Amino acid sequence: MARSEALGEWLRAELRRRGWSSDALARKMGRSSGATYRWVQGDRPQPETIRLFAEALDADYRALMVLAGHLDEATVDDPPALANLVALLRLARPNAEQEPYVRAILG
């Protein structure tokens, strides 16, 4: 699994600030406590899960996507639909034939 130390660090700080445990966050998100614990420790969640974090913590989705490494700073000002598409393309595991097309799309 890919690592996202910046997001994990942010989540730990946010949970401390709120006085929440990773179990409390898991309940709020409707996810397992084991999965939430892994994310807090730095495993990178999928964009759909980051949306759940944003909703549960009333945080900016796109800022969390940057922390998770799904978006880079340069794409934050892109329209949300484009930014989400870029994030999904980055998650794709293109084969050798598809890779040049994905690279061209990502710029």
Side-chain angles (χ1 to χ4, degrees):
M1 172 161 293
R3 301 291 294 166
S4 177
E5 300 300 331
L7 180 64
E9 190 174 308
W10 182 87
L11 284 169
R12 286 189 300 277
E14 186 64 18
L15 292 177
R16 271 194 309 275
R17 186 182 75 77
R18 293 170 182 260
W20 290 9
S21 66
S22 60
D23 290 340
L25 177 60
R27 283 190 300 276
K28 184 127 174 106
M29 292 175 60
R31 296 296 175 109
S32 74
S33 58
T36 308
Y37 176 80
R38 287 191 308 276
W39 298 321
V40 168
Q41 295 306 309
D43 284 354
R44 181 169 55 182
Q46 299 294 319
E48 304 81 39
T49 302
I50 293 172
R51 185 168 304 286
L52 292 176
F53 281 132
E55 291 170 2
L57 299 169
D58 194 29
D60 182 83
Y61 170 70
R62 294 172 78 171
L64 296 181
M65 290 287 285
V66 170
L67 287 174
H70 290 302
L71 293 178
D72 58 36
E73 295 281 341
T75 62
V76 171
D77 292 329
D78 289 344
L82 177 59
N84 290 338
L85 176 61
V86 169
L88 291 173
L89 285 171
R90 286 197 171 121
L91 289 174
R93 306 249 185 248
N95 62 35
E97 183 178 318
Q98 297 166 328
E99 188 172 340
Y101 298 107
V102 172
R103 287 190 183 283
I105 291 169
L106 293 176

